[in-house]
Amino acid sequence: MEDSLQKEREIMKVCLLAGQIMLQSGAETYRVEDTMMRIASSYGIDHTHSYMTPTGIIFSLEDPQPMTRLNRITERTTNLHKIDQVNSLSRRISTGELSIDEAYQELQEIDRTQAIYPLWLNVLMAAVASGCFLIMFRGTWSDFIPAMLAGGIGYYCSVLLHRLVPVKFFAEFSGALMIGLSSIFFVKYGFGQARDIIIISSVMPLVPGLLITNAIRDLMAGHLVSGLSKGAEAFITSFAIGAGIAFMLSFQ
């Protein structure tokens, strides 16, 4: 009996860690629930229940003894690579390739993995994306470089400030503030022409597109609490971006 309970606790740890990594990395709620239930089923526990919001996971096993655990989620970001790694691990568990201990160790390694791309590359890609958005919004090629610089500066400031002050709203507000300041500077001193298009294209790397998509998918899947929570988070992010730009434009 004690061995059975110990195995149940270990399965619970594996399921919760897998769900925690996926939820922290920006996965949809239904995908997290499905992965946790498949892992538990692969280890012989078919009767499971889960309930999650963007800030927590409640997972319950029924056999051999009822057991329920809660994991708090405090940090959320977008990391599709980690989601893919956990999905791959879940499939290997389903085919019987991994024992419980092996699965838990691999999940710990995935959890400890840092971002696969360095900060300078992320900033460069944000800058390139800003320039491409400017062309897509029918801006002129003369504004391409100013949009790249404004987008790169804004993204870098947002990431850097979030590391110094772990308040997402403040980081996004500051990033938008720098984008507004850079755009005004470029246009005022003749490096750019269309200030509005430069600003719009430069804030696009900060826009929470994946969060909005996940909120809609969760709502359509019937996860009303998660969908509304993610929608509220996306609204706050959008408000921070808009407030930063409006604040800077009001003082030009």
Side-chain angles (χ1 to χ4, degrees):
M1 185 66 178
E2 184 60 34
D3 292 343
S4 179
L5 278 174
Q6 181 61 29
K7 180 183 177 183
E8 190 179 1
R9 293 191 191 99
E10 292 172 355
I11 294 172
M12 172 69 84
K13 286 169 59 180
V14 172
C15 293
L16 278 175
L17 184 55
Q20 177 183 322
I21 294 171
M22 294 186 74
L23 206 58
Q24 286 177 335
S25 302
E28 307 96 320
T29 302
Y30 75 89
R31 188 188 300 275
V32 180
E33 287 187 344
D34 183 65
T35 300
M36 294 172 70
M37 293 173 72
R38 284 179 185 275
I39 291 175
S41 178
S42 299
Y43 288 129
I45 298 181
D46 295 321
H47 301 293
T48 59
H49 304 281
S50 61
Y51 178 79
M52 60 192 64
T53 68
T55 57
I57 301 174
I58 299 174
F59 194 61
S60 175
L61 307 178
E62 287 191 1
D63 300 320
Q65 289 292 324
M67 181 184 295
T68 301
R69 293 286 185 275
L70 165 68
N71 261 26
R72 187 88 164 85
I73 306 296
T74 56
E75 189 72 23
R76 294 176 298 281
T77 183
T78 300
N79 192 329
L80 300 183
H81 181 63
K82 282 191 176 183
I83 296 173
D84 178 62
Q85 285 183 305
V86 176
N87 278 333
S88 299
L89 186 136
S90 171
R91 284 191 285 272
R92 291 168 60 200
I93 292 173
S94 298
T95 57
E97 291 183 34
L98 296 174
S99 66
I100 300 174
D101 289 338
E102 291 171 339
Y104 189 68
Q105 288 175 6
E106 288 204 20
L107 283 170
Q108 286 182 311
E109 290 177 10
I110 294 173
D111 192 30
R112 286 193 293 266
T113 303
Q114 300 298 318
I116 57 175
Y117 300 115
L119 176 60
W120 67 266
L121 186 57
N122 286 331
V123 173
L124 178 62
M125 290 300 104
V128 172
S130 299
C132 293
F133 274 116
L134 179 123
I135 300 302
M136 193 179 78
F137 294 147
R138 304 194 176 196
T140 60
W141 282 101
S142 60
D143 288 335
F144 186 80
I145 299 298
M148 283 186 62
L149 293 174
I153 291 170
Y155 184 83
Y156 178 72
C157 289
S158 176
V159 174
L160 191 64
L161 287 171
H162 191 251
R163 290 179 179 177
L164 298 174
V165 183
V167 179
K168 198 176 174 186
F169 178 87
F170 177 72
E172 290 156 348
F173 176 83
S174 302
L177 207 65
M178 292 306 298
I179 288 174
L181 179 63
S182 304
S183 302
I184 292 170
F185 174 83
F186 290 138
V187 173
K188 184 175 181 179
Y189 290 97
F191 298 107
Q193 297 177 3
R195 184 195 61 193
D196 294 347
I197 297 182
I198 293 174
I199 291 176
I200 292 170
S201 56
S202 300
V203 300
M204 292 305 289
L206 301 179
V207 171
L210 181 63
L211 196 58
I212 295 171
T213 304
N214 284 349
I216 294 172
R217 294 187 69 169
D218 281 349
L219 286 172
M220 293 179 69
H223 298 285
L224 302 181
V225 175
S226 294
L228 291 175
S229 301
K230 290 178 180 176
E233 188 176 352
F235 172 78
I236 292 172
T237 298
S238 303
F239 178 76
I241 295 171
I245 296 296
F247 182 83
M248 184 51 63
L249 291 179
S250 65
F251 285 96
Q252 67 170 320

PDB file of all heavy atoms in Angstrom, residues 215-246:
ATOM      1  N   ALA A 215      -6.574  33.359 -25.307  1.00  0.00           N
ATOM      2  CA  ALA A 215      -7.792  33.734 -24.573  1.00  0.00           C
ATOM      3  C   ALA A 215      -9.037  33.343 -25.369  1.00  0.00           C
ATOM      4  O   ALA A 215      -9.992  32.775 -24.819  1.00  0.00           O
ATOM      5  CB  ALA A 215      -7.786  35.241 -24.285  1.00  0.00           C
ATOM      6  N   ILE A 216      -9.012  33.620 -26.664  1.00  0.00           N
ATOM      7  CA  ILE A 216     -10.169  33.276 -27.504  1.00  0.00           C
ATOM      8  C   ILE A 216     -10.338  31.757 -27.596  1.00  0.00           C
ATOM      9  O   ILE A 216     -11.454  31.226 -27.487  1.00  0.00           O
ATOM     10  CB  ILE A 216      -9.992  33.897 -28.903  1.00  0.00           C
ATOM     11  CG1 ILE A 216     -10.031  35.423 -28.801  1.00  0.00           C
ATOM     12  CG2 ILE A 216     -11.076  33.404 -29.855  1.00  0.00           C
ATOM     13  CD1 ILE A 216      -9.680  36.141 -30.085  1.00  0.00           C
ATOM     14  N   ARG A 217      -9.209  31.034 -27.760  1.00  0.00           N
ATOM     15  CA  ARG A 217      -9.302  29.577 -27.866  1.00  0.00           C
ATOM     16  C   ARG A 217      -9.799  28.960 -26.569  1.00  0.00           C
ATOM     17  O   ARG A 217     -10.573  27.994 -26.582  1.00  0.00           O
ATOM     18  CB  ARG A 217      -7.933  29.006 -28.239  1.00  0.00           C
ATOM     19  CG  ARG A 217      -7.489  29.421 -29.620  1.00  0.00           C
ATOM     20  CD  ARG A 217      -6.218  28.724 -30.032  1.00  0.00           C
ATOM     21  NE  ARG A 217      -6.430  27.305 -30.251  1.00  0.00           N
ATOM     22  CZ  ARG A 217      -5.550  26.498 -30.808  1.00  0.00           C
ATOM     23  NH1 ARG A 217      -4.394  26.990 -31.197  1.00  0.00           N
ATOM     24  NH2 ARG A 217      -5.798  25.221 -30.982  1.00  0.00           N
ATOM     25  N   ASP A 218      -9.359  29.495 -25.417  1.00  0.00           N
ATOM     26  CA  ASP A 218      -9.841  28.981 -24.132  1.00  0.00           C
ATOM     27  C   ASP A 218     -11.336  29.247 -23.964  1.00  0.00           C
ATOM     28  O   ASP A 218     -12.079  28.392 -23.475  1.00  0.00           O
ATOM     29  CB  ASP A 218      -9.066  29.622 -22.977  1.00  0.00           C
ATOM     30  CG  ASP A 218      -7.699  28.978 -22.788  1.00  0.00           C
ATOM     31  OD1 ASP A 218      -7.457  27.918 -23.395  1.00  0.00           O
ATOM     32  OD2 ASP A 218      -6.869  29.553 -22.057  1.00  0.00           O
ATOM     33  N   LEU A 219     -11.787  30.434 -24.375  1.00  0.00           N
ATOM     34  CA  LEU A 219     -13.217  30.745 -24.269  1.00  0.00           C
ATOM     35  C   LEU A 219     -14.038  29.821 -25.155  1.00  0.00           C
ATOM     36  O   LEU A 219     -15.096  29.319 -24.756  1.00  0.00           O
ATOM     37  CB  LEU A 219     -13.458  32.211 -24.665  1.00  0.00           C
ATOM     38  CG  LEU A 219     -13.019  33.269 -23.650  1.00  0.00           C
ATOM     39  CD1 LEU A 219     -13.139  34.661 -24.251  1.00  0.00           C
ATOM     40  CD2 LEU A 219     -13.856  33.178 -22.370  1.00  0.00           C
ATOM     41  N   MET A 220     -13.536  29.579 -26.371  1.00  0.00           N
ATOM     42  CA  MET A 220     -14.270  28.708 -27.287  1.00  0.00           C
ATOM     43  C   MET A 220     -14.276  27.265 -26.804  1.00  0.00           C
ATOM     44  O   MET A 220     -15.193  26.496 -27.111  1.00  0.00           O
ATOM     45  CB  MET A 220     -13.639  28.794 -28.684  1.00  0.00           C
ATOM     46  CG  MET A 220     -13.814  30.155 -29.334  1.00  0.00           C
ATOM     47  SD  MET A 220     -13.040  30.258 -30.946  1.00  0.00           S
ATOM     48  CE  MET A 220     -14.094  29.168 -31.886  1.00  0.00           C
ATOM     49  N   ALA A 221     -13.226  26.870 -26.048  1.00  0.00           N
ATOM     50  CA  ALA A 221     -13.160  25.498 -25.515  1.00  0.00           C
ATOM     51  C   ALA A 221     -13.947  25.341 -24.223  1.00  0.00           C
ATOM     52  O   ALA A 221     -13.987  24.250 -23.657  1.00  0.00           O
ATOM     53  CB  ALA A 221     -11.701  25.103 -25.292  1.00  0.00           C
ATOM     54  N   GLY A 222     -14.537  26.432 -23.721  1.00  0.00           N
ATOM     55  CA  GLY A 222     -15.341  26.360 -22.506  1.00  0.00           C
ATOM     56  C   GLY A 222     -14.595  26.669 -21.230  1.00  0.00           C
ATOM     57  O   GLY A 222     -15.168  26.577 -20.139  1.00  0.00           O
ATOM     58  N   HIS A 223     -13.301  27.036 -21.324  1.00  0.00           N
ATOM     59  CA  HIS A 223     -12.539  27.415 -20.125  1.00  0.00           C
ATOM     60  C   HIS A 223     -12.747  28.914 -19.875  1.00  0.00           C
ATOM     61  O   HIS A 223     -11.888  29.744 -20.186  1.00  0.00           O
ATOM     62  CB  HIS A 223     -11.060  27.089 -20.320  1.00  0.00           C
ATOM     63  CG  HIS A 223     -10.785  25.638 -20.532  1.00  0.00           C
ATOM     64  ND1 HIS A 223     -10.832  24.714 -19.507  1.00  0.00           N
ATOM     65  CD2 HIS A 223     -10.498  24.937 -21.644  1.00  0.00           C
ATOM     66  CE1 HIS A 223     -10.565  23.504 -19.981  1.00  0.00           C
ATOM     67  NE2 HIS A 223     -10.362  23.613 -21.279  1.00  0.00           N
ATOM     68  N   LEU A 224     -13.886  29.238 -19.309  1.00  0.00           N
ATOM     69  CA  LEU A 224     -14.302  30.637 -19.220  1.00  0.00           C
ATOM     70  C   LEU A 224     -13.401  31.448 -18.298  1.00  0.00           C
ATOM     71  O   LEU A 224     -13.038  32.587 -18.612  1.00  0.00           O
ATOM     72  CB  LEU A 224     -15.754  30.713 -18.745  1.00  0.00           C
ATOM     73  CG  LEU A 224     -16.769  29.977 -19.637  1.00  0.00           C
ATOM     74  CD1 LEU A 224     -18.178  30.150 -19.090  1.00  0.00           C
ATOM     75  CD2 LEU A 224     -16.701  30.482 -21.071  1.00  0.00           C
ATOM     76  N   VAL A 225     -13.024  30.876 -17.142  1.00  0.00           N
ATOM     77  CA  VAL A 225     -12.198  31.628 -16.190  1.00  0.00           C
ATOM     78  C   VAL A 225     -10.818  31.914 -16.786  1.00  0.00           C
ATOM     79  O   VAL A 225     -10.324  33.050 -16.747  1.00  0.00           O
ATOM     80  CB  VAL A 225     -12.065  30.857 -14.865  1.00  0.00           C
ATOM     81  CG1 VAL A 225     -11.106  31.575 -13.924  1.00  0.00           C
ATOM     82  CG2 VAL A 225     -13.423  30.697 -14.197  1.00  0.00           C
ATOM     83  N   SER A 226     -10.206  30.883 -17.372  1.00  0.00           N
ATOM     84  CA  SER A 226      -8.888  31.073 -17.981  1.00  0.00           C
ATOM     85  C   SER A 226      -8.962  32.046 -19.150  1.00  0.00           C
ATOM     86  O   SER A 226      -8.092  32.910 -19.316  1.00  0.00           O
ATOM     87  CB  SER A 226      -8.336  29.732 -18.464  1.00  0.00           C
ATOM     88  OG  SER A 226      -8.079  28.888 -17.385  1.00  0.00           O
ATOM     89  N   GLY A 227      -9.998  31.898 -19.973  1.00  0.00           N
ATOM     90  CA  GLY A 227     -10.133  32.782 -21.127  1.00  0.00           C
ATOM     91  C   GLY A 227     -10.297  34.232 -20.720  1.00  0.00           C
ATOM     92  O   GLY A 227      -9.648  35.130 -21.269  1.00  0.00           O
ATOM     93  N   LEU A 228     -11.152  34.464 -19.728  1.00  0.00           N
ATOM     94  CA  LEU A 228     -11.366  35.846 -19.269  1.00  0.00           C
ATOM     95  C   LEU A 228     -10.112  36.406 -18.592  1.00  0.00           C
ATOM     96  O   LEU A 228      -9.790  37.587 -18.746  1.00  0.00           O
ATOM     97  CB  LEU A 228     -12.555  35.891 -18.310  1.00  0.00           C
ATOM     98  CG  LEU A 228     -13.926  35.635 -18.947  1.00  0.00           C
ATOM     99  CD1 LEU A 228     -15.016  35.580 -17.884  1.00  0.00           C
ATOM    100  CD2 LEU A 228     -14.258  36.718 -19.978  1.00  0.00           C
ATOM    101  N   SER A 229      -9.406  35.552 -17.842  1.00  0.00           N
ATOM    102  CA  SER A 229      -8.178  36.014 -17.171  1.00  0.00           C
ATOM    103  C   SER A 229      -7.115  36.411 -18.187  1.00  0.00           C
ATOM    104  O   SER A 229      -6.457  37.456 -18.050  1.00  0.00           O
ATOM    105  CB  SER A 229      -7.631  34.904 -16.257  1.00  0.00           C
ATOM    106  OG  SER A 229      -8.582  34.549 -15.290  1.00  0.00           O
ATOM    107  N   LYS A 230      -6.930  35.568 -19.207  1.00  0.00           N
ATOM    108  CA  LYS A 230      -5.936  35.891 -20.231  1.00  0.00           C
ATOM    109  C   LYS A 230      -6.370  37.130 -21.031  1.00  0.00           C
ATOM    110  O   LYS A 230      -5.540  37.948 -21.431  1.00  0.00           O
ATOM    111  CB  LYS A 230      -5.738  34.697 -21.162  1.00  0.00           C
ATOM    112  CG  LYS A 230      -5.038  33.530 -20.496  1.00  0.00           C
ATOM    113  CD  LYS A 230      -4.896  32.342 -21.418  1.00  0.00           C
ATOM    114  CE  LYS A 230      -4.195  31.191 -20.706  1.00  0.00           C
ATOM    115  NZ  LYS A 230      -4.108  29.976 -21.543  1.00  0.00           N
ATOM    116  N   GLY A 231      -7.679  37.253 -21.250  1.00  0.00           N
ATOM    117  CA  GLY A 231      -8.173  38.444 -21.943  1.00  0.00           C
ATOM    118  C   GLY A 231      -7.896  39.710 -21.137  1.00  0.00           C
ATOM    119  O   GLY A 231      -7.506  40.742 -21.699  1.00  0.00           O
ATOM    120  N   ALA A 232      -8.089  39.609 -19.802  1.00  0.00           N
ATOM    121  CA  ALA A 232      -7.816  40.765 -18.947  1.00  0.00           C
ATOM    122  C   ALA A 232      -6.328  41.111 -18.955  1.00  0.00           C
ATOM    123  O   ALA A 232      -5.951  42.293 -18.986  1.00  0.00           O
ATOM    124  CB  ALA A 232      -8.279  40.456 -17.513  1.00  0.00           C
ATOM    125  N   GLU A 233      -5.467  40.091 -18.940  1.00  0.00           N
ATOM    126  CA  GLU A 233      -4.022  40.332 -18.989  1.00  0.00           C
ATOM    127  C   GLU A 233      -3.627  40.995 -20.304  1.00  0.00           C
ATOM    128  O   GLU A 233      -2.806  41.923 -20.326  1.00  0.00           O
ATOM    129  CB  GLU A 233      -3.274  39.012 -18.811  1.00  0.00           C
ATOM    130  CG  GLU A 233      -1.762  39.181 -18.663  1.00  0.00           C
ATOM    131  CD  GLU A 233      -1.065  37.851 -18.400  1.00  0.00           C
ATOM    132  OE1 GLU A 233      -1.759  36.841 -18.180  1.00  0.00           O
ATOM    133  OE2 GLU A 233       0.177  37.842 -18.435  1.00  0.00           O
ATOM    134  N   ALA A 234      -4.229  40.524 -21.407  1.00  0.00           N
ATOM    135  CA  ALA A 234      -3.939  41.131 -22.716  1.00  0.00           C
ATOM    136  C   ALA A 234      -4.418  42.579 -22.758  1.00  0.00           C
ATOM    137  O   ALA A 234      -3.753  43.458 -23.326  1.00  0.00           O
ATOM    138  CB  ALA A 234      -4.612  40.312 -23.819  1.00  0.00           C
ATOM    139  N   PHE A 235      -5.574  42.841 -22.118  1.00  0.00           N
ATOM    140  CA  PHE A 235      -6.093  44.209 -22.092  1.00  0.00           C
ATOM    141  C   PHE A 235      -5.157  45.131 -21.306  1.00  0.00           C
ATOM    142  O   PHE A 235      -4.880  46.258 -21.733  1.00  0.00           O
ATOM    143  CB  PHE A 235      -7.494  44.213 -21.456  1.00  0.00           C
ATOM    144  CG  PHE A 235      -8.029  45.599 -21.220  1.00  0.00           C
ATOM    145  CD1 PHE A 235      -8.560  46.345 -22.263  1.00  0.00           C
ATOM    146  CD2 PHE A 235      -7.978  46.162 -19.946  1.00  0.00           C
ATOM    147  CE1 PHE A 235      -9.034  47.624 -22.047  1.00  0.00           C
ATOM    148  CE2 PHE A 235      -8.457  47.444 -19.727  1.00  0.00           C
ATOM    149  CZ  PHE A 235      -8.988  48.178 -20.772  1.00  0.00           C
ATOM    150  N   ILE A 236      -4.637  44.644 -20.183  1.00  0.00           N
ATOM    151  CA  ILE A 236      -3.723  45.464 -19.373  1.00  0.00           C
ATOM    152  C   ILE A 236      -2.444  45.756 -20.148  1.00  0.00           C
ATOM    153  O   ILE A 236      -1.927  46.883 -20.119  1.00  0.00           O
ATOM    154  CB  ILE A 236      -3.412  44.746 -18.045  1.00  0.00           C
ATOM    155  CG1 ILE A 236      -4.668  44.707 -17.170  1.00  0.00           C
ATOM    156  CG2 ILE A 236      -2.286  45.446 -17.301  1.00  0.00           C
ATOM    157  CD1 ILE A 236      -4.520  43.864 -15.925  1.00  0.00           C
ATOM    158  N   THR A 237      -1.934  44.749 -20.855  1.00  0.00           N
ATOM    159  CA  THR A 237      -0.732  44.963 -21.670  1.00  0.00           C
ATOM    160  C   THR A 237      -0.999  45.995 -22.759  1.00  0.00           C
ATOM    161  O   THR A 237      -0.187  46.905 -22.981  1.00  0.00           O
ATOM    162  CB  THR A 237      -0.290  43.633 -22.310  1.00  0.00           C
ATOM    163  OG1 THR A 237       0.036  42.710 -21.279  1.00  0.00           O
ATOM    164  CG2 THR A 237       0.919  43.828 -23.207  1.00  0.00           C
ATOM    165  N   SER A 238      -2.133  45.864 -23.427  1.00  0.00           N
ATOM    166  CA  SER A 238      -2.477  46.819 -24.487  1.00  0.00           C
ATOM    167  C   SER A 238      -2.637  48.221 -23.909  1.00  0.00           C
ATOM    168  O   SER A 238      -2.208  49.214 -24.516  1.00  0.00           O
ATOM    169  CB  SER A 238      -3.773  46.385 -25.179  1.00  0.00           C
ATOM    170  OG  SER A 238      -3.644  45.084 -25.689  1.00  0.00           O
ATOM    171  N   PHE A 239      -3.244  48.307 -22.719  1.00  0.00           N
ATOM    172  CA  PHE A 239      -3.415  49.603 -22.065  1.00  0.00           C
ATOM    173  C   PHE A 239      -2.064  50.223 -21.712  1.00  0.00           C
ATOM    174  O   PHE A 239      -1.862  51.436 -21.866  1.00  0.00           O
ATOM    175  CB  PHE A 239      -4.265  49.434 -20.807  1.00  0.00           C
ATOM    176  CG  PHE A 239      -4.460  50.705 -20.037  1.00  0.00           C
ATOM    177  CD1 PHE A 239      -5.358  51.672 -20.480  1.00  0.00           C
ATOM    178  CD2 PHE A 239      -3.733  50.955 -18.877  1.00  0.00           C
ATOM    179  CE1 PHE A 239      -5.533  52.855 -19.779  1.00  0.00           C
ATOM    180  CE2 PHE A 239      -3.902  52.131 -18.172  1.00  0.00           C
ATOM    181  CZ  PHE A 239      -4.801  53.088 -18.622  1.00  0.00           C
ATOM    182  N   ALA A 240      -1.119  49.391 -21.242  1.00  0.00           N
ATOM    183  CA  ALA A 240       0.213  49.900 -20.890  1.00  0.00           C
ATOM    184  C   ALA A 240       0.907  50.465 -22.123  1.00  0.00           C
ATOM    185  O   ALA A 240       1.538  51.537 -22.065  1.00  0.00           O
ATOM    186  CB  ALA A 240       1.045  48.778 -20.274  1.00  0.00           C
ATOM    187  N   ILE A 241       0.808  49.751 -23.245  1.00  0.00           N
ATOM    188  CA  ILE A 241       1.441  50.224 -24.481  1.00  0.00           C
ATOM    189  C   ILE A 241       0.813  51.544 -24.927  1.00  0.00           C
ATOM    190  O   ILE A 241       1.504  52.518 -25.242  1.00  0.00           O
ATOM    191  CB  ILE A 241       1.310  49.154 -25.586  1.00  0.00           C
ATOM    192  CG1 ILE A 241       2.093  47.899 -25.198  1.00  0.00           C
ATOM    193  CG2 ILE A 241       1.809  49.695 -26.925  1.00  0.00           C
ATOM    194  CD1 ILE A 241       1.834  46.723 -26.119  1.00  0.00           C
ATOM    195  N   GLY A 242      -0.522  51.574 -24.933  1.00  0.00           N
ATOM    196  CA  GLY A 242      -1.208  52.797 -25.349  1.00  0.00           C
ATOM    197  C   GLY A 242      -0.931  53.963 -24.420  1.00  0.00           C
ATOM    198  O   GLY A 242      -0.734  55.100 -24.876  1.00  0.00           O
ATOM    199  N   ALA A 243      -0.878  53.686 -23.115  1.00  0.00           N
ATOM    200  CA  ALA A 243      -0.628  54.761 -22.151  1.00  0.00           C
ATOM    201  C   ALA A 243       0.776  55.327 -22.317  1.00  0.00           C
ATOM    202  O   ALA A 243       0.995  56.540 -22.207  1.00  0.00           O
ATOM    203  CB  ALA A 243      -0.813  54.223 -20.722  1.00  0.00           C
ATOM    204  N   GLY A 244       1.754  54.443 -22.580  1.00  0.00           N
ATOM    205  CA  GLY A 244       3.127  54.919 -22.774  1.00  0.00           C
ATOM    206  C   GLY A 244       3.253  55.827 -23.987  1.00  0.00           C
ATOM    207  O   GLY A 244       3.891  56.893 -23.923  1.00  0.00           O
ATOM    208  N   ILE A 245       2.632  55.451 -25.082  1.00  0.00           N
ATOM    209  CA  ILE A 245       2.679  56.282 -26.290  1.00  0.00           C
ATOM    210  C   ILE A 245       1.931  57.599 -26.074  1.00  0.00           C
ATOM    211  O   ILE A 245       2.426  58.682 -26.423  1.00  0.00           O
ATOM    212  CB  ILE A 245       2.057  55.509 -27.481  1.00  0.00           C
ATOM    213  CG1 ILE A 245       2.889  54.262 -27.800  1.00  0.00           C
ATOM    214  CG2 ILE A 245       1.960  56.415 -28.698  1.00  0.00           C
ATOM    215  CD1 ILE A 245       4.298  54.543 -28.260  1.00  0.00           C
ATOM    216  N   ALA A 246       0.749  57.514 -25.467  1.00  0.00           N
ATOM    217  CA  ALA A 246      -0.048  58.725 -25.239  1.00  0.00           C
ATOM    218  C   ALA A 246       0.671  59.691 -24.306  1.00  0.00           C
ATOM    219  O   ALA A 246       0.641  60.918 -24.509  1.00  0.00           O
ATOM    220  CB  ALA A 246      -1.409  58.338 -24.648  1.00  0.00           C
TER     221      ALA A 246
END
